[in-house]
Amino acid sequence: MPILYSNVTTEPTVEPVVIGEAKLHLRVDHSDEDTLIAILIQAAREWVEKRTGRSLINQTRTAKMDFFPRTNTIRLPYGKVSSLTSIYYYNDSEVSTLLAASEYWTDFTNDISRIIVKNSWPSTYDMPNAVTLVYVAGYGSAASNVPRPLKQAMFLIIGHLYEHREQVGEIMHEVPFGVEALVGPYVLEQSVIYT
């Protein structure tokens, strides 16, 4: 059974929340902690992305699997996907090969984006990470494209991390009241294990 996992290879160029908005929420009127606040914004975005299984701002992701699935469909994690850059695989001769776009369809209309092979997936060399998919995922390249409930969840997380920056232990594992209610409707329930 191949397991598909996805990592960010090109970070977003902007964050869903800008420093000025975060400082307003935190009631901070100086610039002494701008670097800290920028770190908290990124941490909050990454928490929301991990919890929901969604990319908030356009980012390039690379997904890998040991071989193509037996089914005709690959579901890409951390959608919504806006474009598929490439699918490379190691063929039976252990040569990295580009899978031609004419060999598959893409479905990026839904929250869970899919790649559907037209005939059958090619066979791969028996090795780890034999298949590499590169794609762009996110609500867009502007903060205004991110749903407001997810931005509000980020504000709550930023405030929590700002107030409890010195604390360790259980307090850091708890999320502020309301965060789960805000992100819950956006959680993508999708399996990343294929048979």
Side-chain angles (χ1 to χ4, degrees):
M1 229 184 308
I3 298 174
L4 177 70
Y5 60 91
S6 175
N7 293 313
V8 177
T9 48
T10 303
E11 291 285 342
T13 56
V14 298
E15 291 290 348
V17 172
V18 297
I19 288 182
E21 292 173 318
K23 287 169 72 171
L24 186 62
H25 175 75
L26 297 171
R27 297 188 175 126
V28 171
D29 59 2
H30 54 79
S31 300
D32 299 347
E33 297 179 304
D34 283 6
T35 301
L36 169 66
I37 293 169
I39 292 168
L40 299 181
I41 290 169
Q42 181 177 349
R45 174 184 50 85
E46 289 177 0
W47 188 93
V48 170
E49 288 177 337
K50 185 172 177 81
R51 176 66 184 97
T52 62
R54 295 174 182 266
S55 300
L56 299 187
I57 296 287
N58 280 1
Q59 54 197 256
T60 302
R61 301 191 70 91
T62 299
K64 296 195 178 251
M65 53 197 325
D66 292 346
F67 50 88
F68 287 108
R70 292 187 190 109
T71 63
N72 67 342
T73 302
I74 296 174
R75 293 185 195 105
L76 295 172
Y78 290 95
K80 183 174 189 177
V81 173
S82 59
S83 66
L84 178 66
T85 306
S86 63
I87 301 175
Y88 276 93
Y89 67 99
Y90 283 93
N91 65 21
D92 291 331
S93 301
E94 199 178 356
V95 174
S96 181
T97 307
L98 176 67
L99 183 62
S102 60
E103 297 294 319
Y104 56 84
W105 294 289
T106 57
D107 175 14
F108 302 151
T109 58
N110 299 308
D111 286 339
I112 298 176
S113 300
R114 306 178 300 160
I115 302 167
I116 304 105
V117 70
K118 290 183 179 178
N119 296 307
S120 62
W121 298 112
S123 59
T124 59
Y125 192 76
D126 187 14
M127 61 181 283
N129 303 316
V131 179
T132 301
L133 304 99
V134 179
Y135 58 99
V136 176
Y139 284 101
S141 57
S144 60
N145 296 331
V146 177
R148 289 179 187 258
L150 298 180
K151 288 181 72 165
Q152 182 59 37
M154 285 183 61
F155 283 125
L156 294 176
I157 294 166
I158 291 163
H160 178 73
L161 294 173
Y162 184 81
E163 287 296 318
H164 302 286
R165 67 181 101 171
E166 300 291 331
Q167 295 183 345
V168 294
E170 289 304 312
I171 194 75
M172 297 312 294
H173 297 287
E174 298 174 8
V175 294
F177 178 77
V179 170
E180 284 295 334
L182 290 165
V183 301
Y186 293 91
V187 173
L188 290 177
E189 299 294 339
Q190 67 176 341
S191 173
V192 294
I193 299 175
Y194 294 92
T195 57

